[in-house]
Amino acid sequence: MNAQEKHPHVRGFGMASARSRARLVERLRSLGVEDETVLAAIEKVQRHQFVDEAMTSRAYDDTALPIGYGQTISQPYIVAQMTSLLIADGLPESVLEIGTGSGYQAAVLAEILPSIYTVERIKPLYERARKRFAELGYRQVRARLARDGVLGLPDYGPFDAILVTAGAEKLPTSLYEQIADGGRMIVPVGPSGDQRLMVIHREGSSFVEQTLDAVSFVPLIEQRADERTS
Ligand code: SAH
């Protein structure tokens, strides 16, 4: 049974959604997104499957939308920008995403890359995203529930690329050791209202930090050290 049969409310939305996605891609092009691999992935992923039914009609607007628990699915332009940065120097074989949320960003990555780990701290969001990955056939996405994704997944790393999709107050240097040599991390950094996208390139033991555009993400929640059990 495919996802549409399981969710009758989206039956009949197939053609309309394909047209909406083509329009969204045109908008992203007009905003300066040039990477054809990224645009093709965005054209393919059914963003309406990653939002609540009540949001279906807005699923292809270029905006962030609420997904419950005070969290949002990222704006498609930002997803395109982060994905472009992630693959700018070639395709990373292994990726870690911190902040699964709806699962949309991970699905876009899965259209391009072979292996994606994604971690989320809010259990119902994690469960919903896992179900979506299974129903939509995104087998190369492995979702994990983690109390604090900033600790990464040391057992599975290092990763060729790390993508943080929540805003960190300070650069999460705890993740540096999980970036593979020659790899990169993309992370929004700064206090709310003054966040910038940052790219960190690892070359051996040196980490080159680059600051890019202003962005606006929900906060990355870091567990206090005294709450950690290990
Ligand atoms: N990438 C998502 C959007 C993420 S919103 C998408 O495509 O829909 C940011 C997500 O990060 C939220 O779901 C939030 O619960 C999660 N988050 C915040 N801090 C976290 C942490 N320390 N570890 C794991 N997940 C975290």
Side-chain angles (χ1 to χ4, degrees):
M1 191 186 288
N2 71 27
Q4 291 215 346
E5 286 161 345
K6 270 192 187 165
H7 299 285
H9 66 272
V10 294
R11 196 179 291 152
F13 192 60
M15 283 306 290
S17 96
R19 279 195 301 276
S20 304
R21 279 199 296 285
R23 271 200 299 275
L24 173 60
V25 163
E26 284 321 305
R27 179 180 157 82
L28 299 181
R29 269 187 215 284
S30 75
L31 291 173
V33 178
E34 289 177 342
D35 192 312
E36 293 299 330
T37 309
V38 174
L39 292 167
I42 292 205
E43 183 140 15
K44 215 157 161 208
V45 179
Q46 303 192 358
R47 193 169 183 254
H48 69 273
Q49 304 278 16
F50 294 84
V51 297
D52 292 342
E53 192 179 345
M55 295 284 166
T56 306
S57 65
R58 298 175 60 196
Y60 297 103
D61 292 354
D62 185 27
T63 55
L65 293 168
I67 55 171
Y69 309 91
Q71 309 303 320
T72 55
I73 178 173
S74 305
Q75 181 190 353
Y77 175 66
I78 298 294
V79 171
Q81 211 184 2
M82 289 181 104
T83 309
S84 301
L85 289 168
L86 197 87
I87 66 171
D89 289 343
L91 302 183
E93 276 180 23
S94 61
V95 178
L96 170 65
E97 180 196 26
I98 296 159
T100 312
S102 67
Y104 177 69
Q105 169 76 73
V108 170
L109 294 175
E111 294 291 348
I112 308 173
L113 302 169
S115 167
I116 296 111
Y117 280 92
T118 180
V119 298
E120 171 57 54
R121 62 183 291 278
I122 299 177
K123 197 171 180 197
L125 290 178
Y126 152 78
E127 285 171 343
R128 218 178 283 169
R130 250 181 95 103
K131 196 160 164 258
R132 285 180 182 132
F133 297 140
E135 285 180 0
L136 298 170
Y138 287 111
R139 281 193 201 84
Q140 70 276 53
V141 180
R142 275 158 286 186
R144 298 277 184 273
L145 182 66
R147 285 182 68 196
D148 187 358
V150 175
L151 304 176
L153 288 176
D155 292 348
Y156 300 96
F159 300 90
D160 296 326
I162 299 181
L163 188 62
V164 184
T165 63
E169 283 270 334
K170 294 202 186 78
L171 201 52
T173 49
S174 55
L175 287 166
Y176 277 17
E177 62 191 39
Q178 289 180 48
I179 307 173
D181 194 6
R184 54 177 56 191
M185 170 161 77
I186 295 150
V187 53
V189 182
S192 153
D194 189 20
Q195 278 173 10
R196 294 293 200 102
L197 213 50
M198 290 190 71
V199 182
I200 291 60
H201 294 264
R202 176 173 195 170
E203 291 303 336
S205 57
S206 89
F207 296 86
V208 180
E209 299 165 0
Q210 203 185 350
T211 304
L212 305 173
D213 300 357
V215 285
S216 176
F217 278 83
V218 295
L220 182 73
I221 309 294
E222 294 188 53
Q223 218 182 322
R224 293 199 320 269
D226 59 359
E227 287 174 354
R228 289 180 189 155
T229 49
S230 58

